Amino acid sequence: MKLFSGSSNKPLAEDIVHHLNIPLSPVEIFLFPDGERRVRIEASVLDEDVIIVQSTSTPVDSNYMELFFLIDSAKRSGAKSITVVMPYFGYQRQDHIFRDGEAVSLDVVIKILESLGVDKVISFDLHSIKIPELFHIPIVHLSALPLFAEKIREMLRLHLNKGATFAQMFLVSPDMGGLRRIKQMSILLDEMSFVATVKNRDLNSGEIEMDTIEGTIEEGKKRALIVDDMISSGKTIVKSSELLIKSGVEEIYVFATHAIFSAEAPEILQNSPVSKVFVTDSVFIPEEKRFEKLEVISLAPEIAKALQ
Ligand code: R5P
């Protein structure tokens, strides 16, 4: 097995090879002044199982192009099989037509991956449960939810002497689309109760309105655990947490798999009512986007397990 990394999330790839106890195979990625890339794998892959790690986060299109070239170079060099580990799968939000005339961007990138000869894809917490159906090759759909559940139990152990109990906690989906996810999380946490804040987003301006809660916050529930698949602008989390505070909640923790963190997300999350934001390293978070309330949980052990 040979594992190569694109340039979007090399620290994660390094962590994965550490768990697999193999070296990271070298690649040369040369950027021409006009933005084009020349990609070359620098290890023999003849008859080898090749793994390519690349998250297609910002800059999405460049990261995709780099991935396509890495796949092509492995294929042309005689790889036996190619597995793409894409912890964050770019364009997953455009998985169907929302308004007449739109492209299904996700379907386009899947078709390209398939036509390049990818044998298998490994990804985490895809935006919709239907997404794997768009693939004609095997896709291993993993989730960070068990890691988040483990973190919640650990937090509780640390908080016990401060009076926090399991009974005071409840789960929150920040929109109705996340209900399936929140139900899964509830199962992982001994049927913990849950509600959803109802989100309406203007598709043209991107602005969000949130003023109702679906479900009842039971008596004594003071600590909310918001669970989402991704944080992009951060507006969903901020609006949801403001509504929860207005409804009498005292403490809020956020768990989101993909830290896209576009625009002012780090700043607005740091200044929001939430106490802590837990994300994974599915997307590399540069130093300038890290903030005090942020804690990153690594997916590397899960990915290494899936590759063994
Ligand atoms: C939406 O359906 C997703 O699950 C996330 O809630 C959304 O993408 C977060 O976006 P933002 O951080 O820009 O509000």
Side-chain angles (χ1 to χ4, degrees):
M1 181 197 291
K2 292 256 167 73
L3 191 145
F4 297 88
S5 177
S7 47
S8 70
N9 200 344
K10 210 163 163 203
L12 175 62
E14 280 163 352
D15 211 1
I16 297 168
V17 291
H18 173 75
H19 280 87
L20 288 171
N21 209 12
I22 59 170
L24 185 61
S25 294
V27 293
E28 180 196 81
I29 297 172
F30 181 80
L31 189 61
F32 289 98
D34 63 357
E36 288 188 1
R37 266 149 222 264
R38 184 184 64 216
V39 168
R40 177 170 175 258
I41 52 172
E42 296 186 307
S44 166
V45 294
L46 190 62
D47 292 327
E48 292 262 12
D49 292 314
V50 167
I51 318 294
I52 300 172
V53 179
Q54 177 83 320
S55 265
T56 43
S57 48
T58 317
V60 183
D61 296 344
S62 308
N63 285 333
Y64 261 118
M65 289 311 287
E66 197 178 281
L67 171 65
F68 299 153
F69 298 151
L70 282 166
I71 297 165
D72 189 61
S73 49
K75 198 77 192 166
R76 285 174 195 275
S77 306
K80 183 165 83 184
S81 72
I82 300 179
T83 297
V84 170
V85 177
M86 217 193 296
Y88 173 69
F89 206 115
Y91 285 117
Q92 58 180 289
R93 281 170 286 185
Q94 191 69 30
D95 61 345
H96 64 272
I97 294 172
F98 293 86
R99 291 172 300 175
D100 284 352
E102 287 180 350
V104 184
S105 322
L106 179 65
D107 193 45
V108 173
V109 292
I110 291 173
K111 279 183 181 144
I112 299 175
L113 291 170
E114 290 175 351
S115 68
L116 287 172
V118 172
D119 294 280
K120 187 161 89 179
V121 173
I122 298 178
S123 194
F124 277 83
D125 289 321
L126 294 163
H127 190 56
S128 133
I129 195 171
K130 291 239 160 230
I131 288 178
E133 290 174 19
L134 292 174
F135 286 79
H136 300 93
I137 51 174
I139 162 139
V140 181
H141 185 189
L142 301 175
S143 176
L145 295 186
L147 298 176
F148 291 157
E150 205 178 293
K151 178 53 84 177
I152 290 164
R153 291 185 191 277
E154 179 193 313
M155 269 166 45
L156 206 59
R157 281 196 295 275
L158 299 174
H159 264 77
L160 271 182
N161 51 0
K162 290 194 202 152
T165 68
F166 212 73
Q168 297 167 332
M169 292 181 168
F170 68 106
L171 294 161
V172 180
S173 170
D175 54 34
M176 297 302 281
L179 273 178
R180 183 191 55 84
R181 187 176 310 116
I182 220 73
K183 284 177 189 162
Q184 280 179 320
M185 194 66 181
S186 165
I187 293 169
L188 291 168
L189 291 168
D190 307 336
E191 306 291 336
M192 186 180 278
S193 66
F194 58 84
V195 300
T197 49
V198 182
K199 173 170 86 174
N200 289 306
R201 192 194 286 268
D202 184 315
L203 282 181
N204 293 314
S205 66
E207 284 313 313
I208 286 171
E209 270 183 34
M210 222 184 260
D211 44 30
T212 45
I213 294 179
E214 182 79 20
T216 311
I217 302 176
E218 293 164 6
E219 188 73 32
K221 297 279 184 189
K222 302 190 235 172
R223 300 172 206 266
L225 309 168
I226 302 179
V227 183
D228 208 352
D229 57 343
M230 64 181 86
I231 301 177
S232 181
S233 67
K235 288 179 189 167
T236 300
I237 295 299
V238 172
K239 291 272 181 190
S240 179
S241 58
E242 286 171 352
L243 180 56
L244 291 166
I245 293 286
K246 251 199 258 167
S247 312
V249 172
E250 290 172 12
E251 205 174 15
I252 301 168
Y253 293 93
V254 175
F255 296 84
T257 309
H258 309 297
I260 313 291
F261 289 172
S262 44
E264 310 297 312
E267 200 182 327
I268 67 169
L269 289 167
Q270 177 63 30
N271 296 328
S272 74
V274 310
S275 300
K276 215 152 171 107
V277 179
F278 294 92
V279 295
T280 75
D281 54 0
S282 69
V283 172
F284 174 68
I285 309 168
E287 212 43 59
E288 66 274 14
K289 288 197 172 180
R290 293 184 183 241
F291 50 99
E292 220 184 309
K293 290 179 178 175
L294 182 73
E295 186 172 324
V296 183
I297 300 171
S298 183
L299 296 177
E302 299 305 309
I303 296 173
K305 230 186 283 167
L307 290 171
Q308 268 158 352

